[in-house]
Amino acid sequence: MTRSTPSAADPNGDGLDGTRPQRGKRRLKIGAVALAGVTATALGVTVWQDGNAKPSTAATDSARVATATVTRTDLSNAQTLNGTLGYSKAAPVKGAKPGLVTWLPAPGARVSRGHTLYKVDNVPVPVFYGSTPLYRTLNATGMTGPDVRVVADNLKRLGYDIGSQPAPGTWVTQHPAPAGESGTADASGAKDTAEDGTSGKTGSDTAAPAATPIPTPTPTATTTSVEVKEGDGVLTADLIAAIKRWQTHVGMPATGVLGIGDVVVQSGEVRVGAVQAQPGDDANGSLMTVSSTTKKVSVPVDATGVGTMARGNRVTVTLPDDSTVTGTVEAVGATATDTTDGDTSGGGGPAQLTVTVRVPDTGAVARLTSAPVQVAFTSQTRKGVLAVPVGALLALSEGGYAVQLPGGRLIAVRTGMFAKGLVEVTGDGLTAGLKVVTTS
């Protein structure tokens, strides 16, 4: 084999001109491409045997590939569930005092503090707000308890001067109830015997002198001292006087005494639902149902899907007319409901919890009594983050992700929240407005 003589065109004398790479350089280049195989594949670059890299159709036609812009935006992961708008579950109201029903409200009526819910023997039975019903007759100075607190709080809110209430920890003297005190007034107010012991009758006949009455032993009245507990009220002389003034104003006998069934204690203003009783019925039976006047949305949620739903979270409620209102999660049920409906084959749905959402009773909500709605729950929000379409992510063989620029360069990225087809991304050189290749 004859070796060529070195020349200006062939200084190495190997028969190659200076326009072609040496074999050692070709191997180095091919090795470098093999080392970055995943990058070469992602960029669509083909390495030719002669050492020249020719771009693929994707690289040549980079102007024609789909691109997206890296944007700075707010992301939130939300789920939309079906719910029902309406009033709270209706609760029954039963009479608690003897007599006949003489008046009842109409279905749909709203009754607030101090106003009459129904009448027994033509005596109003008003509504008080609170959590403790009257469970005894309040008829003795110094009585303490949560039922007394209900009376005191309501009369004060209605504008009556109840005086000062002893603070918790104070010791007060309890006096016994007056003998024969029943909590109701005598219809006639008449007495058969005068206070001096003579007959109350009058006429032309001269009354015989009254005999000297024989003293009758009376039990000694005893008093006790009790400590006022947190949440208790005290039946003071001022409070009793306020009760009398209020009773006179609403049309009740002004006795200063309140007994079981004289008021109906509710958590707040009520809306009358179904009315079961009729005038003339026994007042001790079921009279009607009532519910809260605040509309709420009940949303059944799979027990495994409650996730980060919590009281106080804001939600978006879409009404039947496609308008939206902002609601607040009021409660997340703690008892799961079986949705199998008696199906023992195991094909029933998962157990569900009820999430209650409070909405403002204005606008379109005020015009609805009950309606199906959609509720969007947002459990997490990322504000001002860089995001690209999910289709712009390239999975790297060595792990992780990258985005590709139209020119072919890859930028490694770290992913964050995924929401509505977008993904949060961060990486060196990644800025808002940058164009990246995407499949969608």
Side-chain angles (χ1 to χ4, degrees):
M1 177 175 176
T2 305
R3 181 178 178 84
S4 300
T5 303
S7 64
D10 185 12
N12 296 319
D14 56 4
L16 300 174
D17 61 25
T19 62
R20 298 187 61 186
Q22 301 176 19
R23 293 183 183 273
K25 292 184 179 181
R26 182 171 68 250
R27 285 195 301 268
L28 179 61
K29 186 170 186 177
I30 294 175
V33 172
L35 182 63
V38 62
T39 303
T41 302
L43 293 175
V45 176
T46 303
V47 180
W48 297 89
Q49 188 64 30
D50 63 358
N52 290 327
K54 295 184 178 181
S56 66
T57 303
T60 304
D61 300 333
S62 62
R64 294 198 296 268
V65 299
T67 61
T69 303
V70 179
T71 58
R72 188 171 295 280
T73 185
D74 297 340
L75 294 180
S76 62
N77 51 359
Q79 57 175 325
T80 301
L81 302 173
N82 294 326
T84 303
L85 170 69
Y87 294 100
S88 60
K89 184 178 180 180
V93 173
K94 295 182 179 180
K97 61 187 299 184
L100 296 181
V101 176
T102 53
W103 180 85
L104 290 160
R110 296 190 176 196
V111 184
S112 57
R113 187 200 314 265
H115 290 82
T116 301
L117 185 60
Y118 60 95
K119 291 183 179 180
V120 176
D121 294 342
N122 209 36
V123 175
V125 179
V127 170
F128 274 3
Y129 294 171
S131 58
T132 304
L134 303 192
Y135 54 86
R136 56 183 172 168
T137 300
L138 303 179
N139 58 357
T141 305
M143 293 183 71
T144 64
D147 50 348
V148 182
R149 170 59 62 185
V150 168
V151 175
D153 288 347
N154 278 271
L155 291 184
K156 185 175 182 179
R157 293 296 298 271
L158 289 170
Y160 292 88
D161 181 7
I162 66 170
S164 60
Q165 281 282 294
T170 304
W171 287 84
V172 297
T173 301
Q174 286 187 338
H175 298 276
E181 183 70 77
S182 63
T184 58
D186 187 299
S188 64
K191 295 182 180 180
D192 292 334
T193 304
E195 291 181 357
D196 62 358
T198 60
S199 171
K201 296 180 181 180
T202 59
S204 59
D205 295 336
T206 302
T212 302
I214 300 174
T216 301
T218 57
T220 302
T222 59
T223 60
T224 58
S225 294
V226 295
E227 185 179 12
V228 180
K229 299 178 182 178
E230 190 71 36
D232 282 354
V234 180
L235 193 60
T236 62
D238 287 337
L239 180 55
I240 293 174
I243 292 173
K244 290 181 179 179
R245 293 194 299 272
W246 170 73
Q247 287 173 327
T248 300
H249 182 260
V250 298
M252 299 171 67
T255 61
V257 175
L258 285 176
I260 298 173
D262 283 344
V263 297
V264 178
V265 179
Q266 295 288 326
S267 59
E269 185 183 33
V270 296
R271 177 182 182 274
V272 178
V275 178
Q276 291 97 11
Q278 295 181 358
D281 286 352
D282 187 342
N284 279 317
S286 295
L287 305 179
M288 67 191 78
T289 61
V290 296
S291 63
S292 167
T293 57
T294 303
K295 293 189 179 76
K296 299 179 181 179
V297 177
S298 297
V299 186
V301 182
D302 292 348
T304 56
V306 172
T308 57
M309 296 179 188
R311 182 176 181 178
N313 287 358
R314 294 296 183 92
V315 299
T316 300
V317 180
T318 302
L319 303 173
D321 62 357
D322 289 332
S323 64
T324 61
V325 295
T326 299
T328 305
V329 175
E330 184 175 78
V332 177
T335 304
T337 302
D338 188 2
T339 59
T340 57
D341 294 329
D343 183 4
T344 59
S345 64
Q352 293 183 327
L353 298 173
T354 298
V355 176
T356 304
V357 175
R358 184 176 66 253
V359 292
D361 195 7
T362 57
V365 174
R367 296 191 293 270
L368 298 170
T369 301
S370 178
V373 296
Q374 290 188 319
V375 184
F377 293 88
T378 301
S379 58
Q380 185 180 10
T381 299
R382 298 279 293 167
K383 292 184 175 295
V385 298
L386 295 177
V388 297
V390 174
L393 289 181
L394 292 175
L396 303 178
S397 60
E398 63 269 27
Y401 295 93
V403 292
Q404 180 182 348
L405 305 185
R409 184 167 69 91
L410 297 182
I411 297 179
V413 296
R414 294 176 298 278
T415 60
M417 177 183 290
F418 288 76
K420 298 181 179 180
L422 297 177
V423 57
E424 174 189 355
V425 289
T426 56
D428 294 338
L430 202 63
T431 59
L434 191 67
K435 296 289 185 179
V436 294
V437 175
T438 182
T439 59
S440 60

